[in-house]
Structure formats: C-alpha cells, structure tokens
Amino acid sequence: MDDELDILRKLVATPEIFSEIERTTGTELQRQAALREKYNPGMVRAALLLSELRQRARGKFSRAEEMWFDRVGLEQSTAEVVARHKARRFASHSGEIVDLCCGIGSDAIALAREGRTVQAVDLSPLACERTRLNAGVYGVAERITRRVADATAVELTTESLIHIDPDRRVGRQRAIKLEDYAPPLEFLLGLIERTSGGAIKLSPASNFGGKFGGNEIEVTSLEGECKEATVWYGALSGTHAMRATILPEGLSFAGNPWEWRPHVGPLARYVYDPDPAVVRAGLLDLVVDELKLQRLDAAEEYLTSESLVNSPAVVPFEVLANLPNNETEIRKWVRKGDFGEIEIKSRHVPVNPDAMRKKMSLSGQGRITLIIARVDGRTRALFCQRVSSRNAESR
C-alpha cells in the first residue's frame, strides 16, 4: 500500500509523463520500453494503466481525463450524472453528511458541488488520496474532509446524514446477496436505526426485496442501463415504496408495485421495450396505466399500442411482421428483405441470438429488430423497425 501511495504521489508530481504517453507509439512493450528510459518501471505501469482508465471513464465523468482511478474504484464508482441526481435530495436537508466507503470520491464530490460539507471515509488510504485529488479536479476540495477508517467503527450521531457505497465483491466476484456486502446487511440496517437519514447504494441486481420495509427504494437507469438501487431512509425517504428514475431525462415514476395489475391487450401497430429501471422497480403496470399502453402478455414486459407514444420510459418499435416462433419461417422472412444487420431481443423466451443470427442470410444494407416474446400466451417472432420519436405523442 505504501509503495502504491508513493507511486500515486510521484505521478501527481510528474504530469509530463501523461503527455509523453500520448506521443509514444508502437506496441505496448515498445511504449513501456521507451518510457522506462526516463521513468522507473512502477511509475510507467501505473501511468499507462491510469491513461487507459481515464479513456474508459469518459462516458462516466465529464472530467475523466484529469481524474485519478484504479480498476475497482472506477468500476464501483457512481456515474457523475447519477451521483448529482442523488446529491440534490441531500441538498434540502441540514446536518453533517458522512460518505462511508467513499472509493474514488464521486458521491462525495457530487454532494460538495451542492454546497455541502462532507466527511469522506474509506478503509483504504489510496482511496482517500484519490478522493482528495478528484475533489481538486472538480474544485470542491475545501468542502471534503477525508478519514482513513473502517466504516463500521466510525462514530455517527443521530443527526448524521449518511451515504454509503458498500463493497460489492466477494474475492474477485461481484456479490449479489446483500449479506455478502462489506459492510453487510446487518450493519446497513443498523444505520437506518441510529442515524437521521441517508442513502444506501446497492447493485440493482441485489436481493433487496423485502429487506428495507418502510423505506423508499429508487432504481436508477442511465441511457437505458440500470445503474443502481438506492435505499432512501429516514429524513430522506419518499412516501412511496418504490421509485424508478430514468436519467439523463430525470423522469421518475413512484408507487407501490402491489397496487397495480397487468393490462393485457392484443398486439397492435407498435411494440415497446420498457426501461430496465421501471421493470426492476416493479412499476411496469403503473407506467402502462400512465402511458395508456397494454402488455402483450401478463408474464411479459413488452408493451403495445395502436398510436405511437413517446416517453423516456419506453423504446418504440413499429411491427412489420408477426410470425410463429419457427426458425424456418423466421429465416424465410429475412431472406425476402434487404437486411445486413439484425438485432435480436427477448426477455423471458430462451434465445441464443448469436446462433440464430448465424443461420440467417444477412447480405443486404438494412437493419431490422426481431423481438421474441409471448403474445397472449403464445411465443411469437415480431419483426420490427425502431421508431424515431420525433413525431410521437409525448407523455
């Protein structure tokens, strides 16, 4: 750890190494050899890795090219847009904010950008140092204090507002069960009992159902991908059991999943693929009701309508053909078209898209989508075209 911290500090003091990396060409070994003529091997390896991570982080952070990452820290960090969305809920509440398991500091930075002072805590001195550096990149270093400590040993008051991002790994594997998080579920539930309010960041794939009764769980997606489930508790909790939030649009749906029932209707002109946050939050039938859509089947998430609806909550497709789920019929229909690319989608029907695609004649120029779905109890093959939302009715 001391060696890594020393290398990190040397990199901070030697910014020219990153300019030289951009200018260096050749294979990875050739680049390393050229750089080692001026810098020690540890610095070269660390600088090359950081340059790679900065490129990878461009879609996640607006200032990625200046930030300081490690592989795990980047992987588990909250995307900037998501972190700022969460920070706005903290902004209207007074009280000390403690960011436990701060990692590279993305949530602490978002909170500080809302004008709050934050105590950032992590067991790793490297994580705390990266938080300091990244806070400087965003110009909020003076609002964040750092503390190297075990999250379970930090003294918290009943007035404290908490954000915690527990480690979601078991060895090298991602943990799905909350009981395998570090700190584990028992500690997370204890935070709810002894602090005034806060946010607990979970994987959207985790087994959070039934674990946090009386609090709000918000499932958040960003550009069509589920990013996290946040347990809002105490002073920061909303009045509904579940919330689905779609970013960057900021559209939210909130309610109790058990209060809504499926509305099933016949296949119509348009089919919709709902946003994953809506599905994971159990609010699909609420969205169906609000957007005046229908399900294709009570056990299927794909939706349908005769008139085109435009909403960030759904991706629209126009149905071109409704076929039996028969491989021969599917290949025959594709051969009649001028298609060079086919997108294959399915939610509940077992499908191997790669194997199916290899059996098709795709020598044309067009693009088509094949949705394999249950329609009124039967599996059908729906050939569709993605729809531009320009002329759709907005809801």
Side-chain angles (χ1 to χ4, degrees):
M1 181 71 73
D2 289 342
D3 288 344
E4 290 183 69
L5 204 53
D6 181 57
I7 288 173
L8 176 59
R9 287 169 177 158
K10 285 179 178 176
L11 288 179
V12 174
T14 318
E16 61 270 19
I17 191 173
F18 298 104
S19 299
E20 292 191 40
I21 286 174
E22 291 183 8
R23 293 193 299 267
T24 305
T25 60
T27 67
E28 186 71 13
L29 289 176
Q30 289 170 332
R31 297 175 75 204
Q32 287 195 31
L35 291 165
R36 284 177 181 176
E37 292 179 4
K38 292 184 64 175
Y39 307 102
N40 72 59
M43 281 186 67
V44 171
R45 285 193 298 272
L48 286 170
L49 173 60
L50 180 55
S51 294
E52 175 196 329
L53 296 176
R54 283 174 170 175
Q55 290 182 26
R56 196 181 301 174
R58 287 175 181 170
K60 205 169 187 178
F61 298 100
S62 63
R63 303 183 188 180
E65 293 182 5
E66 304 169 66
M67 293 177 71
W68 301 86
F69 303 107
D70 65 304
R71 288 191 189 277
V72 173
L74 174 57
E75 178 186 326
Q76 296 204 159
S77 62
T78 306
E80 184 176 324
V81 174
V82 179
R84 295 213 70 179
H85 166 73
K86 288 190 293 182
R88 293 185 189 103
R89 193 180 291 208
F90 280 86
S92 59
H93 296 269
S94 60
E96 175 197 33
I97 298 178
V98 183
D99 183 20
L100 299 173
C101 310
C102 65
I104 64 166
S106 54
D107 284 294
I109 290 166
L111 291 162
R113 291 177 77 185
E114 292 293 328
R116 303 302 301 274
T117 57
V118 184
Q119 181 184 166
V121 179
D122 202 285
L123 187 59
S124 166
L126 273 164
C128 287
E129 182 64 8
R130 289 189 178 101
T131 292
R132 182 185 74 82
L133 293 169
N134 291 331
V137 169
Y138 281 88
V140 293
E142 73 283 355
R143 297 197 189 111
I144 299 175
T145 60
R146 292 157 293 107
R147 180 178 173 189
V148 178
D150 187 330
T152 63
V154 175
E155 290 187 12
L156 303 169
T157 71
T158 55
E159 301 303 312
S160 298
L161 294 175
I162 306 299
H163 179 277
I164 182 168
D165 182 2
D167 190 353
R168 301 179 296 283
R169 291 169 299 151
V170 179
R172 293 186 177 183
Q173 302 296 318
R174 292 186 183 184
I176 298 300
K177 295 174 62 178
L178 300 181
E179 292 80 2
D180 293 331
Y181 279 25
L185 176 62
E186 183 180 7
F187 175 79
L188 302 179
L189 293 173
L191 281 178
I192 293 174
E193 296 298 323
R194 61 194 178 97
T195 58
S196 66
I200 302 172
K201 176 181 171 180
L202 309 174
S203 163
S206 65
N207 59 332
F208 57 73
K211 301 285 196 304
F212 299 95
N215 301 291
E216 177 189 5
I217 298 179
E218 178 181 28
V219 182
T220 304
S221 69
L222 177 60
E223 296 177 349
E225 182 182 347
C226 250
K227 291 299 183 181
E228 68 176 72
T230 307
V231 180
W232 295 103
Y233 71 88
L236 274 67
S237 179
T239 58
H240 299 285
M242 299 297 300
R243 178 178 294 274
T245 295
I246 300 162
L247 299 175
E249 293 84 358
L251 178 65
S252 277
F253 298 89
N256 184 340
W258 302 108
E259 294 178 357
W260 303 87
R261 295 292 179 266
H263 297 292
V264 178
L267 176 67
R269 181 178 177 182
Y270 298 100
V271 167
Y272 304 86
D273 191 6
D275 186 90
V278 169
V279 176
R280 187 66 182 98
L283 298 176
L284 181 62
D285 293 308
L286 182 156
V287 170
V288 166
D289 191 74
E290 288 202 14
L291 299 184
K292 296 180 174 56
L293 302 172
Q294 292 182 305
R295 287 203 196 204
L296 292 178
D297 189 275
E300 183 63 79
E301 283 89 15
Y302 290 111
L303 313 175
T304 190
S305 72
E306 190 60 36
S307 298
L308 181 58
V309 170
N310 178 33
S311 169
V314 292
V315 178
F317 299 83
E318 184 173 10
V319 179
L320 305 180
N322 172 14
L323 304 178
N325 185 29
N326 178 286
E327 193 173 289
T328 301
E329 292 293 320
I330 290 171
R331 293 206 308 268
K332 182 179 176 182
W333 194 90
V334 172
R335 279 198 304 271
K336 293 179 181 179
D338 179 34
F339 304 119
E341 186 177 351
I342 184 166
E343 174 187 32
I344 301 174
K345 301 171 70 68
S346 176
R347 286 182 173 269
H348 295 287
V349 180
V351 171
N352 185 329
D354 291 334
M356 181 178 287
R357 197 176 286 111
K358 287 177 182 178
K359 296 178 181 179
M360 296 181 185
S361 175
L362 297 170
S363 56
Q365 300 298 317
R367 176 184 171 90
I368 197 75
T369 298
L370 172 60
I371 298 176
I372 308 292
R374 293 188 181 94
V375 179
D376 193 24
R378 294 184 178 183
T379 302
R380 304 292 293 179
L382 309 177
F383 280 100
C384 307
Q385 196 75 55
R386 282 182 177 264
V387 178
S388 168
S389 61
R390 218 175 304 165
N391 299 318
E393 180 185 351
S394 181
R395 294 180 186 173

